[in-house]
Amino acid sequence: MEAPPVTTMPVSGGTINMMEYLLQGSILDQGLEGLLHRLRGLCDNMEPETFADHESVYLLKGQQASPFVLRARRPLDRPGAPWHLRYLGQPEAGDRSRHALVRNCVDIATSEVLPEFLQEMGFRMDHEFIAKGHLFRKGVMKIAVYKVFRVLVAGTAEGAEPLSLSYLVELSVVAPAGQDSVADEVRSFAEQLRPLVQLEKIDPKRLM
């Protein structure tokens, strides 16, 4: 899946703090075509982009209670395309005044030696998975509808098997910090997808 552009940019000697505004949900396999039909009517691209990505999650344990987490993702369907290294901060799910989950987001393109670099830095791979699906766009919003596959042979997509009988649905916007009106736009678009799919603020820590 095409990642957003580098989200830490020089501005007057400083940086822009980028935030991801996110809502998530899921839909059973049999409801997929109905959702795709609805999205074709609502989004800028009537025919979605397709993607097949291999993502590995790396941990670095230190003195802090929870490990530092980085994500390395590579496209399986575009040989030669860059890898992407992504950092996602702790979600600010407790702020009920916001209509979307908000977290710090840094995403940079890298070379294919990224796994080796992370291992040299002391990170260890915790888990990996394959994500295959469809990507729609509505202005700055991205709507990803994809299935997660379990990796059976480390480091390769061969023989990967579906993790469930459903698709994940993610509606997200990456924008500079402080633009909380973006969360309202995300929620407004999510309302148009009901009752096909219910998109919500989901705190990953509650799933552990």
Side-chain angles (χ1 to χ4, degrees):
M1 176 169 54
E2 181 185 352
V6 175
T7 51
T8 299
M9 300 171 289
V11 179
S12 302
T15 60
I16 291 180
N17 185 22
M18 302 298 285
M19 308 298 288
E20 181 183 47
Y21 297 79
L22 177 71
L23 291 176
Q24 297 170 297
S26 64
I27 188 169
L28 292 173
D29 289 355
Q30 56 264 37
L32 175 64
E33 288 305 318
L35 177 60
L36 296 181
H37 179 74
R38 175 71 64 88
L39 288 170
R40 288 187 182 100
L42 294 173
C43 295
D44 299 331
N45 54 329
M46 290 185 62
E47 288 305 319
E49 305 166 34
T50 59
F51 65 89
D53 292 350
H54 178 200
E55 180 165 313
S56 303
V57 179
Y58 288 84
L59 306 181
L60 179 63
K61 294 184 177 179
Q63 300 296 326
Q64 65 273 25
S66 56
F68 187 72
V69 182
L70 290 176
R71 299 171 176 272
R73 177 173 285 214
R74 66 184 177 99
L76 298 172
D77 53 349
R78 289 182 292 128
W83 285 61
H84 275 264
L85 175 65
R86 199 174 200 209
Y87 165 76
L88 298 173
Q90 291 297 321
E92 301 173 8
D95 188 349
R96 295 187 178 182
S97 66
R98 289 171 170 161
H99 291 152
L101 181 143
V102 182
R103 58 188 179 186
N104 185 255
C105 176
V106 179
D107 192 298
I108 57 174
T110 76
S111 71
E112 69 277 1
V113 300
L114 177 58
E116 291 81 3
F117 173 76
L118 291 174
Q119 291 169 11
E120 288 293 329
M121 292 288 291
F123 285 84
R124 68 168 184 82
M125 190 178 72
D126 182 67
H127 63 276
E128 57 184 329
F129 62 90
I130 307 296
K132 295 182 181 180
H134 311 271
L135 181 66
F136 290 88
R137 301 175 188 273
K138 178 67 173 179
V140 296
M141 279 187 282
K142 289 185 176 182
I143 305 93
V145 183
Y146 64 94
K147 183 176 284 287
V148 175
F149 292 78
R150 179 187 292 111
V151 173
L152 300 181
V153 181
T156 178
E158 293 182 11
E161 60 182 23
L163 199 59
S164 70
L165 298 177
S166 62
Y167 281 77
L168 287 177
V169 184
E170 294 184 344
L171 171 57
S172 65
V173 174
V174 176
Q179 296 190 11
D180 287 351
S181 61
V182 170
D184 297 331
E185 297 174 14
V186 169
R187 170 57 67 184
S188 177
F189 188 88
E191 292 292 333
Q192 299 180 66
L193 299 180
R194 292 185 176 183
L196 296 174
V197 62
Q198 176 104 5
L199 299 180
E200 302 175 332
K201 294 166 60 174
I202 298 177
D203 186 352
K205 289 183 292 186
R206 290 186 177 183
L207 303 178
M208 295 179 179

